[in-house]
Amino acid sequence: MIKRELRSGISQLVFLTIALSIKALFLTSLITVTTANLATAGELAKSNSNENAVNNLLLKGKQLYDRGRLADAVKAWETGRKYFQQTQQVTNLIHSNNFLATAYQDLGNWDLAKKAIADNLALIESANSTVTRRNTAQIDSALLYAQTLNTQGSWQLRQGKGETAFKTWQETEAIYRDLEDTTGMILSQINQAQALQSLGFYRRSQKTLLAVREQLTTLPDSSLKISALQSLGVSFELSGDIERSEAVLKQSLAISKKINSPNDIAEAWFRLGNVVRSQKKYNRAIEYYQKAIAISPNTSVQLEAKLNQLSLYVETQDIANARQLIAPIAKQLDLLPTSRTAIYARVNYAQSLIEMDEPQVEQLLKDTVKQSQALEDNIAQAYAIGELGHWQELSQNYQQALNSTDRALALASATNQAQVSATLHWQRGRILKQEGKKAQAIAAYQSAVTELENLHQDLVAVNPELKLSFRQQIEPIYRQLVELLLENVEQLNPQQKQAYLEQSRLAIEALQQRELENYFRIACLDINQQNIDQIDSQAAVIYPILLDQSIEVILSIPGQPLKHYSNQIDSELQAKTFDDLLQYLNPVFSSRHHLPTAQKLYDWIVRPAEAELEQNRTDTLVFVLDKQLRSLPMSVLHDGEKYLLEQYNLALTPGLQLLPTKSLDTEKLKVLTGGLTESRQGFSALPGVEQEIASIQSTLPTNTLLNSEFTNPKIQEKVTQESAAIVHLATHGQFSSNAEDTYILTWDDRINVNDFDKLLSNRNNSTPIELLVLSACKTAAGDEGAILGLAGMAVRSGARTTMATLWSVNDNSTAKLMTEFYRYLSQSRTKSQAMRQAQLSLLQSEQYHHPFYWSPFVLVGNWK
């Protein structure tokens, strides 16, 4: 399915930045038409005598570009370029190349864009070989150079070269600073923020944007300032800072009203509608869209607002109000001149009609395809033809759907539209699966995954409220591929079976990595692809995979072929069983109430592997858990006689690819402990923490920060200076599916997980953190994705292993468990052995034998 174009998400920022660039570039180009120092006297004479013609050539292309008629804009600017070449108007030739380079990028003509940029750089160099950004005699040369670099940065970013683009825009900013061009500086900084976001540096991006916001106050109120504020607002939204986004957009609205610009007022209301929609404030979003529609003299903005309003009604199942918009939108679409904007609007409209099961969709899409072909815009054609293929797929016209999808794929591939290609490969896989062509379908799905892996930085959900797109458009591709690979896998020959099982395992691990990147809004997790044989010859890795109609399990044992077993259990029964077990682990139920459910899970996940595990003398089970299973303690699985904990050491990992391999050196153990015993910031006291820390001090060399000493600066100082291999923090904390709500409590503050990992990694010595213990932290109640906070912290903190709890546990029982854990750890046990013995000590005690007390403790990461 082609992604709906709502001008939200990453595409919204790209659209705004390009629009702002074009506006600024065009304005400065007109200013420099008759004042360029690069021009000869003869050139100036020609330029002055043809000033109207020059302006008309530039203006015509700009007007066409604004209308979405990109191919026609290119033709106008190409005509202008030829004229400027013939008349030797170097300055205007450079402007034309800049405009063309931007339009070529929009059309996916990357080589032509690159050549236009290179031509400009050569023109500037040949016209004045002494161009430097500090040579004030060459002010216009420097300005032209800055404009060209700005365009080059856009090309680099859209080619996935974020770091290079960032450096280019830093150079551009320096030039504008020397020229005392505040608008150019601000534009360059906004572009730098976009590059930082593409690299996953959202906090650095926010810092840059806050500086931009301050500088904008010095600019006079104007349409350009409004555009800059709107771009800034979108950037804040993408960084997850909704409050600032809304404030900046309201500032742009106030200025728009002040200078009485209806277009800008409508645009501000429209963007505010998108922001509050991302917060699920649907009534306010509808209100803002309606205000944009009422005030806008621009039919394009009116239409976009109506389309977003329609899609919101469909999303909230308000079909009655949605149907009232169908006729007005259809009438307005018919009045639109053919352009890329019109094509996207029609596809957007068609998507809503498809969800409403309206009969006119097919003809609408066929007409849209014809318009896109007449426009000679390959990217617009890819969207239109791809959506037609989706409609044909839903209508079960599979051969037609396949033909349309292949046509769209060819266009998307030719224009380097990787995200569109990924979606179309997925569509192709679904169609081939329906036709029973399994091998071809698998190949299509694998192509989709390859595209996603290649551009995964662009897929990171930058606004926490946009995670739904990950669930709807990325996760299903991986899961459906695994489902295809595992379908009837036991009937394949041994070689093919192993290949399919290995591909399934890697796909699930890749999905886990994408989920963590989506959680943290970064795309820079370290990958260390390895096999279980390299890590622990006595361990086995179990991958339970939750599909719609089954639980598939892959078993990896060192030196053995991968094994697979399947349980035909639908997702509804899966969810009920998981929920039941979690509920029965509450101490209000007896210590045996959970056993039937725990035995059921054992039968599904472990029992089929019993013989293999016994034969290979496995002593450690490592789980790569999926979806709801992450919130359940594997230690309580029960074979009818014993808990799994009583038979094996246990550990969790997001996947072997993210696992450090070095084992713990117990002879060099030192511990940095910190925590709270007193009630702080509305959280209850933790009197057992004092006993917990005292027991560690009696076992291992320890440095302690307690209560008023347990502050952010003190922690930073100790972590930086100390060589402790273990960091043990006994304080309130929470893991949530939102990284912004994942934190630990200090005496007078909180440490967010994004800051916490930087704190732990900032060490001046070579001793890594072998073990990070988070005692008294808990997962957010009812939050299915909360365990990602724990898994992500384990990966990003630099600690080889993280110990934490799945729920808040009695602090006295925790103190007892920690005492036993460190006692066993000091006896040269592995971390998983020490954890198991400590949990068994509670299980075998009269006071804490209920699994509520011992089962929630988990190890994530390296278990040795």
Side-chain angles (χ1 to χ4, degrees):
M1 186 186 302
I2 298 298
K3 183 179 179 182
R4 182 186 297 276
E5 286 293 313
L6 294 180
R7 276 171 61 184
S8 61
I10 287 289
S11 61
Q12 186 176 179
L13 180 57
V14 172
F15 172 86
L16 268 172
T17 304
I18 290 172
L20 181 57
S21 299
I22 282 287
K23 182 180 289 188
L25 177 61
F26 187 70
L27 287 175
T28 55
S29 297
L30 290 183
I31 292 169
T32 57
V33 162
T34 58
T35 60
N37 289 340
L38 287 178
T40 64
E43 179 188 333
L44 281 174
K46 291 175 185 176
S47 177
N48 288 332
S49 64
N50 293 287
E51 185 174 341
N52 289 334
V54 170
N55 288 344
N56 285 339
L57 285 168
L58 295 173
L59 279 167
K60 183 179 179 182
K62 174 66 166 54
Q63 290 166 350
L64 290 166
Y65 183 92
D66 285 344
R67 293 172 190 160
R69 295 173 59 185
L70 306 189
D72 289 337
V74 165
K75 289 175 184 176
W77 284 328
E78 283 178 340
T79 301
R81 179 167 63 180
K82 289 178 183 177
Y83 173 75
F84 299 138
Q85 284 173 332
Q86 292 168 358
T87 56
Q88 298 181 8
Q89 296 186 49
V90 178
T91 301
N92 294 326
L93 178 57
I94 291 171
H95 293 322
S96 297
N97 275 330
N98 268 328
F99 291 140
L100 282 166
T102 300
Y104 286 146
Q105 290 177 61
D106 289 339
L107 291 167
N109 295 329
W110 305 107
D111 290 339
L112 288 177
K114 185 178 181 180
K115 184 179 185 304
I117 294 165
D119 287 347
N120 266 6
L121 294 173
L123 282 167
I124 294 169
E125 184 177 358
S126 63
N128 190 335
S129 60
T130 61
V131 169
T132 65
R133 58 184 180 86
R134 286 184 168 81
N135 186 345
T136 55
Q138 306 298 333
I139 185 169
D140 292 310
S141 299
L143 180 59
L144 291 166
Y145 184 49
Q147 292 169 350
T148 301
L149 285 181
N150 184 59
T151 308
Q152 185 179 47
S154 173
W155 183 89
Q156 290 162 341
L157 183 65
R158 296 169 90 178
Q159 289 291 302
K161 302 174 181 178
E163 187 173 352
T164 306
F166 177 72
K167 292 177 181 176
T168 297
W169 280 323
Q170 280 185 315
E171 185 176 359
T172 306
E173 181 192 353
I175 297 172
Y176 282 125
R177 190 179 303 279
D178 286 343
L179 296 175
E180 299 181 356
D181 184 334
T182 305
T183 300
M185 287 166 51
I186 289 172
L187 173 61
S188 299
Q189 289 167 356
I190 292 175
N191 286 342
Q192 287 172 52
Q194 183 185 346
L196 287 169
Q197 288 179 16
S198 79
L199 294 168
F201 300 130
Y202 289 94
R203 291 186 178 271
R204 282 181 62 190
S205 174
Q206 275 198 342
K207 187 176 179 180
T208 300
L209 293 172
L210 286 171
V212 168
R213 186 179 184 183
E214 289 298 315
Q215 293 176 70
L216 281 172
T217 60
T218 66
L219 289 182
D221 293 339
S222 65
S223 181
L224 190 60
K225 180 177 180 178
I226 292 167
S227 295
L229 284 168
Q230 289 176 353
S231 182
L232 186 60
V234 172
S235 298
F236 278 131
E237 179 191 357
L238 295 176
S239 297
D241 196 337
I242 300 299
E243 186 177 337
R244 282 200 180 105
S245 174
E246 193 168 357
V248 168
L249 289 172
K250 285 182 175 177
Q251 185 182 351
S252 79
L253 175 63
I255 297 173
S256 302
K257 290 179 177 179
K258 182 179 177 181
I259 67 173
N260 193 26
S261 174
N263 273 328
D264 290 323
I265 294 171
E267 189 76 20
W269 281 124
F270 172 72
R271 298 194 184 286
L272 281 165
N274 287 345
V275 168
V276 296
R277 178 177 182 170
S278 75
Q279 298 172 281
K280 295 183 171 57
K281 297 176 180 177
Y282 297 135
N283 289 336
R284 283 179 61 193
I286 293 293
E287 177 191 348
Y288 292 167
Y289 290 146
Q290 288 174 338
K291 286 184 176 182
I293 293 166
I295 199 168
S296 177
N298 186 322
T299 55
S300 177
V301 174
Q302 285 183 9
L303 181 59
E304 283 187 284
K306 286 179 184 176
L307 286 167
N308 281 15
Q309 189 176 347
L310 173 64
S311 69
L312 182 49
Y313 282 141
V314 172
E315 181 183 339
T316 56
Q317 295 296 302
D318 188 352
I319 303 302
N321 273 320
R323 291 192 191 283
Q324 292 181 17
L325 284 171
I326 289 177
I329 290 175
K331 183 178 179 181
Q332 204 163 345
L333 282 171
D334 289 340
L335 296 175
L336 276 184
T338 301
S339 66
R340 175 181 282 190
T341 302
I343 301 302
Y344 284 179
R346 285 174 165 271
V347 172
N348 189 338
Y349 181 52
Q351 289 171 337
S352 290
L353 294 183
I354 288 172
E355 294 176 45
M356 295 168 67
D357 200 24
E358 290 293 318
Q360 64 267 44
V361 176
E362 185 170 14
Q363 190 58 49
L364 169 68
L365 286 170
K366 287 180 177 179
D367 291 343
T368 302
V369 169
K370 289 179 182 178
Q371 288 186 18
S372 68
Q373 290 168 335
L375 198 59
E376 299 180 21
D377 185 334
N378 288 343
I379 295 176
Q381 285 186 65
Y383 272 98
I385 297 171
E387 192 62 31
L388 175 61
H390 177 54
W391 167 250
Q392 291 163 337
E393 174 196 359
L394 293 177
S395 303
Q396 300 183 8
N397 296 321
Y398 295 125
Q399 191 54 54
Q400 291 180 13
L402 190 60
N403 292 340
S404 296
T405 303
D406 285 344
R407 286 168 60 201
L409 253 175
L411 290 163
S413 299
T415 50
N416 197 26
Q417 299 296 302
Q419 193 164 355
V420 181
S421 294
T423 307
L424 289 167
H425 279 300
W426 177 27
Q427 184 166 295
R428 191 173 195 274
R430 296 195 308 267
I431 295 166
L432 289 166
K433 179 184 176 183
Q434 290 296 326
E435 290 191 312
K437 299 176 181 178
K438 180 178 176 179
Q440 291 174 265
I442 288 173
Y445 271 99
Q446 288 173 329
S447 294
V449 167
T450 298
E451 294 281 13
L452 293 178
E453 294 294 299
N454 288 338
L455 56 78
H456 65 91
Q457 287 184 339
D458 298 327
L459 298 176
V460 177
V462 286
N463 178 341
E465 296 300 331
L466 300 178
K467 288 186 179 179
L468 185 62
S469 65
F470 179 89
R471 290 288 181 90
Q472 291 180 334
Q473 298 174 9
I474 298 173
E475 182 179 343
I477 298 177
Y478 290 87
R479 293 197 180 280
Q480 289 169 20
L481 170 59
V482 171
E483 186 175 18
L484 265 175
L485 288 166
L486 296 181
E487 184 182 59
N488 301 320
V489 71
E490 298 300 328
Q491 299 174 15
L492 299 175
N493 65 60
Q495 185 176 3
Q496 188 68 63
K497 175 183 174 180
Q498 282 303 300
Y500 275 21
L501 290 178
E502 179 64 15
Q503 290 172 39
S504 299
R505 182 184 74 81
L506 291 176
I508 285 299
E509 290 208 357
L511 175 59
Q512 295 253 0
Q513 185 190 348
R514 296 294 87 77
E515 287 180 305
L516 284 171
E517 291 172 343
N518 185 58
Y519 175 82
F520 279 109
R521 291 178 278 146
I522 62 167
C524 52
L525 297 178
D526 293 331
I527 298 302
N528 181 27
Q529 190 164 333
Q530 54 193 307
N531 193 285
I532 181 65
D533 306 61
Q534 301 171 266
I535 305 170
D536 187 346
S537 62
Q538 297 302 116
V541 184
I542 297 178
Y543 299 80
I545 304 166
L546 305 184
L547 302 178
D548 287 341
Q549 298 300 321
S550 65
I551 297 178
E552 307 288 333
V553 182
I554 295 175
L555 174 66
S556 177
I557 295 177
Q560 300 292 322
L562 293 173
K563 302 295 191 298
H564 162 261
Y565 40 98
S566 177
N567 301 276
Q568 298 305 303
I569 303 153
D570 64 39
S571 56
E572 186 175 339
L573 179 56
Q574 292 174 29
K576 183 180 185 306
T577 305
F578 303 151
D579 289 344
D580 285 350
L581 179 58
L582 201 57
Q583 177 185 351
Y584 296 149
L585 292 175
N586 190 303
V588 300
F589 294 95
S590 76
S591 60
R592 301 190 61 81
H593 206 100
H594 66 284
L595 288 178
T597 312
Q599 289 166 10
K600 186 182 294 185
L601 257 68
Y602 182 93
D603 290 343
W604 292 348
I605 297 172
V606 180
R607 192 175 297 281
E610 281 180 338
E612 295 284 346
L613 297 173
E614 184 176 349
Q615 181 179 343
N616 288 278
R617 299 181 180 179
T618 301
D619 62 19
T620 302
L621 295 185
V622 182
F623 290 90
V624 180
L625 295 178
D626 194 18
K627 295 170 71 173
Q628 301 103 306
L629 280 174
R630 296 175 184 141
S631 299
L632 295 176
M634 293 296 100
S635 55
V636 300
L637 271 56
H638 200 278
D639 67 359
E641 295 182 5
K642 295 179 180 179
Y643 288 108
L644 195 63
L645 174 71
E646 297 178 87
Q647 304 171 65
Y648 299 99
N649 307 318
L650 302 173
L652 307 177
T653 176
L656 297 182
Q657 297 184 69
L658 297 173
L659 191 65
T661 57
K662 185 178 178 181
S663 301
L664 182 68
D665 184 354
T666 54
E667 294 182 1
K668 298 180 180 179
L669 289 185
K670 292 181 181 179
V671 187
L672 171 62
T673 62
L676 300 175
T677 63
E678 301 177 19
S679 173
R680 297 297 294 177
Q681 302 178 52
F683 288 82
S684 61
L686 294 170
V689 165
E690 196 163 354
Q691 176 191 345
E692 184 176 327
I693 291 178
S695 69
I696 300 171
Q697 291 171 332
S698 67
T699 307
L700 293 168
T702 304
N703 199 318
T704 300
L705 299 171
L706 194 62
N707 291 328
S708 61
E709 290 288 302
F710 187 58
T711 63
N712 294 19
K714 286 283 188 182
I715 297 169
Q716 174 79 64
E717 178 185 339
K718 290 295 183 183
V719 168
T720 301
Q721 294 176 355
E722 295 289 328
S723 59
I726 300 174
V727 176
H728 181 112
L729 304 177
T731 180
H732 287 289
Q734 176 171 281
F735 301 114
S736 164
S737 59
N738 184 350
E740 298 300 321
D741 295 327
T742 297
Y743 60 87
I744 65 166
L745 197 72
T746 59
W747 179 254
D748 55 3
D749 202 355
R750 296 181 180 185
I751 305 177
N752 179 269
V753 65
N754 288 305
D755 299 319
F756 192 45
D757 79 282
K758 297 183 184 69
L759 180 149
L760 291 179
S761 300
N762 187 23
R763 292 166 72 98
N764 295 330
N765 54 71
S766 59
T767 304
I769 296 176
E770 296 286 354
L771 176 63
L772 168 65
V773 180
L774 300 172
S775 176
C777 295
K778 63 178 181 179
T779 55
D783 190 340
E784 178 186 320
I787 201 63
L788 284 172
L790 172 56
M793 186 177 290
V795 171
R796 291 192 68 198
S797 67
R800 299 187 187 281
T801 312
T802 299
M803 181 203 293
T805 57
L806 297 176
W807 56 78
S808 185
V809 187
N810 177 286
D811 64 328
N812 290 320
S813 63
T814 298
K816 177 177 172 57
L817 182 138
M818 291 299 174
T819 300
E820 294 298 305
F821 172 75
Y822 283 105
R823 183 166 72 86
Y824 283 107
L825 193 65
S826 66
Q827 297 172 1
S828 300
R829 303 294 183 100
T830 67
K831 286 171 275 191
S832 59
Q833 288 174 329
M835 170 68 92
R836 178 184 174 217
Q837 293 300 323
Q839 289 177 288
L840 287 174
S841 70
L842 293 190
L843 170 61
Q844 293 161 3
S845 72
E846 182 177 348
Q847 188 176 4
Y848 301 122
H849 70 280
H850 194 290
F852 169 81
Y853 297 103
W854 53 263
S855 68
F857 292 89
V858 293
L859 280 179
V860 181
N862 193 299
W863 57 89
K864 293 188 73 177

